[in-house]
Amino acid sequence: KLTVNFGSELGTKTILAGVKNYSVDDLTGRKAIFVYNLEPKTVKGHTSEGMLLAACSEGLEGDPIPVILVPEKDVQEGSLVR
């Protein structure tokens, strides 16, 4: 469960993401690419207001390992992806 700052216009949203290979410290203060205009969805009693985008890499045993997509350069929170 992530609390994400989408800037002053959109505010803070809760995002549920299956990125177990990242710790809280790995994600804190980091910028990533999200989709936030999705219909909120409740999963296991928690509501997600968007989606963290990740590509899947193959692990040593063939298991998919999510790799978070990040902007190439520094961008402002809430910037549009086009």
Side-chain angles (χ1 to χ4, degrees):
K1 180 174 158 182
L2 307 172
T3 302
V4 181
N5 175 9
F6 285 102
S8 59
E9 192 173 316
L10 298 169
T12 301
K13 297 190 180 286
T14 299
I15 308 289
L16 302 180
V19 288
K20 296 175 188 171
N21 58 312
Y22 289 90
S23 71
V24 172
D25 288 340
D26 290 337
L27 299 173
T28 301
R30 187 170 180 182
K31 292 189 179 179
I33 299 175
F34 293 84
V35 176
Y36 60 81
N37 62 343
L38 302 173
E39 197 67 35
K41 184 174 181 178
T42 301
V43 179
K44 296 183 180 180
H46 299 282
T47 301
S48 185
E49 301 174 278
M51 181 187 315
L52 172 63
L53 297 184
C56 281
S57 165
E58 192 171 306
L60 295 176
E61 297 183 22
D63 298 328
I65 299 173
V67 178
I68 295 173
L69 300 181
V70 297
E72 180 181 344
K73 296 181 181 179
D74 190 33
V75 294
Q76 189 173 5
E77 287 85 357
S79 294
L80 294 178
V81 175
R82 299 178 189 228

